[in-house]
Amino acid sequence: MWRFFPQKNKYVQEEAEFTFDRNKAVPKHIAIIMDGNGRWAQNRRLPRVAGHKEGMETVKTITKHASRLGVKVLTLYAFSTENWKRPEEEVSFLMQLPVDFFDKFVPELIKENVKVHVMGYTEFLPAHTQDAVKRAIEQTKDNTGMVLNFALNYGSRAEIVTAFKDIYAEFKENDASKEDITEEVISNHLMTGFLPAELQNPELLIRTSGEERISNFLLWQIAYSEFFFTDALWPDFNGELLEMAIATFQNRDRRFGGLKK
């Protein structure tokens, strides 16, 4: 954890202050910006794609750990609408990753009772990527445990624009009034609208690699999320760090704009 000390005019990293308590509430919905794959590889003088491959192993570890801790929804930022700007070779590798990932991991997901969902503009993904996504969703559709929700070709601003276009079309068709637009209506038209209302908004947002940006991720949904930033690069993130993030959440005073009771 980094804290700013005005008297020193600098940030200082401190040791974790809290210990994960299995008797305290675990966030029902955790969202993670998985950052640092490329830097992990470069630090080892490996090609960037090696970092993405290692990062997928971390996805497996964190998925199983989160599920066993009682998390209901785990949303992972896998590929943004802006990531198409990356080198063609890297993008091609990233589009192949879901194929390899789901082919190997779906049997474990079924064993763990984890259900796969993918949100984003998947219609613009290559055919083989779309096919892999559809197979994973179909194969895990009867699972009743944690939802593993991948944000794939996802961007929050585009999501909000799409939601408002859909609301406009529906309201126009049904001759509805602008007074009928509510937060609930908007939430249900976002890509997290497939979830029950109490699970749509992450309680905890984690970002790895030391960056402290939202990067166009779940802008509406994280209005009252607790944030946890760590210097750990995504391939180095593990169950212990996940528990540290949850421990921090467990000790936050969540007032939602009100006063402490």
Side-chain angles (χ1 to χ4, degrees), residues 6 19 45 53 55 92 95 98 101-102 105 109 118 127 132 134 147 171 182-183 219 221 224:
T19 302
R45 298 183 180 180
K53 186 174 181 180
S92 296
M95 291 298 104
F101 174 78
F102 286 130
F105 195 40
L109 291 174
V118 177
K134 291 175 183 175
V147 174
F171 275 39
T182 63
E183 289 190 12
L219 299 178
Q221 295 92 332
Y224 281 103

Side-chain angles (χ1 to χ4, degrees), residues 207-222:
R207 179 163 189 155
T208 60
S209 87
E211 304 292 350
E212 298 183 4
R213 297 186 301 274
I214 303 306
S215 297
N216 198 19
F217 186 47
L218 301 175
L219 299 178
W220 174 277
Q221 295 92 332
I222 61 171

Side-chain angles (χ1 to χ4, degrees), residues 102 106 110 114-118 130-143:
F102 286 130
V106 163
I110 293 172
V114 172
K115 184 175 185 177
V116 173
H117 184 87
V118 177
Q130 291 188 46
D131 290 343
V133 165
K134 291 175 183 175
R135 282 197 305 272
I137 291 172
E138 176 64 24
Q139 290 172 321
T140 62
K141 67 179 182 180
D142 295 325
N143 292 351

